[in-house]
Amino acid sequence: MEKFTTLTTTAIPLPIENIDTDQIIPARFLKATDKKGFGDNVFRDWRYDSDGNLNMDFPLNAPQYKGAQILVAGDNFGCGSSREHAAWAIAGYGLKVVISSFFADIFKGNALNNGLLPIQVSPDFLKQLLTTVQENPATKITVDLENQVVETSFAKAEFEIDPYKKVCLINGYDDIDFLVSKKDTIEAFEKERMVF
């Protein structure tokens, strides 16, 4: 995984509540077991019309949000089924952070396991952020993972994160990488415990 410390970028507003994992990545795309290509189909049924043409009214297709690496979404993001592919699709699209006022627990875990940072903020902060990004797409948002702060020129909010997952994101570790990083400590412990 890529290391994550600080990110400053623009954002894509998606002010829709209860976005479930089937809307993030429809079930018909779940046959693959490789993460590659899932970003092409993120929000597929919203991003494209029935003829396969881009829906230019959908925020991810809007030119003013091109290059943004943060998704600012409505409340209860990632609800529904437990498919890990939803996190794969969002990260595969190029997004590094999702901000909402609430995340489904399984989605949150899947996101953190795949290098995607879910940031939960208050409903008031989220509303203000959505309004500002919609009115001014050039608005920059800074995410400081080490200090657990998300801020813009108009406001700042702290966020919670599991300490273990924070260490993993900052160092670019998955669970195996984390264990390997503790190899010397584990071996020293094993030597002390060894019985002859």
Side-chain angles (χ1 to χ4, degrees):
M1 284 194 311
E2 258 183 63
K3 291 182 180 181
F4 189 119
T5 50
T6 303
L7 174 69
T8 299
T9 181
T10 54
I12 302 169
L14 192 57
I16 301 170
E17 295 187 355
N18 305 312
I19 295 175
D20 67 40
T21 53
D22 193 54
Q23 291 160 327
I24 297 169
I25 185 73
R28 65 187 181 277
F29 298 108
L30 303 186
K31 295 173 187 169
T33 55
D34 189 312
K35 295 179 185 181
K36 291 179 184 173
F38 275 93
D40 297 336
N41 294 306
V42 69
F43 298 110
R44 179 72 191 204
D45 294 337
W46 290 347
R47 285 177 59 212
Y48 295 87
D49 64 22
S50 57
D51 295 323
N53 301 309
L54 281 175
N55 170 9
M56 297 311 292
D57 292 329
F58 188 65
L60 269 72
N61 297 333
Q64 66 267 34
Y65 302 120
K66 188 174 181 176
Q69 294 180 300
I70 295 175
L71 179 67
V72 182
D75 187 59
N76 195 27
F77 188 85
C79 56
S81 72
S82 60
R83 64 187 70 161
E84 189 174 18
H85 307 73
W88 295 359
I90 293 169
Y93 181 78
L95 296 167
K96 298 187 180 303
V97 174
V98 180
I99 300 174
S100 178
S101 52
F102 183 79
F103 292 94
D105 286 341
I106 295 174
F107 173 82
K108 189 174 189 178
N110 287 337
L112 289 166
N113 288 338
N114 286 282
L116 178 66
L117 178 59
I119 295 177
Q120 187 168 325
V121 295
S122 71
D124 288 342
F125 184 84
L126 181 67
K127 184 178 179 182
Q128 188 178 18
L129 193 57
L130 281 166
T131 300
T132 302
V133 171
Q134 287 173 302
E135 289 174 356
N136 182 10
T139 299
K140 297 279 188 179
I141 299 172
T142 297
V143 175
D144 179 348
L145 177 56
E146 193 166 357
N147 294 302
Q148 296 177 214
V149 171
V150 57
E151 64 182 314
T152 66
S153 59
F154 64 83
K156 179 176 173 177
E158 294 181 353
F159 61 89
E160 296 296 317
I161 184 171
D162 177 275
Y164 166 67
K165 289 300 179 184
K166 179 178 176 179
V167 167
C168 288
L169 284 172
I170 287 173
N171 290 285
Y173 293 157
D174 62 19
D175 291 335
I176 301 299
D177 294 327
F178 179 81
L179 285 175
V180 171
S181 78
K182 301 295 181 188
K183 181 181 175 191
D184 292 343
T185 305
I186 293 167
E187 287 178 346
F189 176 80
E190 287 296 317
K191 282 180 184 172
E192 287 177 11
R193 305 280 298 164
M194 204 173 282
V195 178
F196 292 97

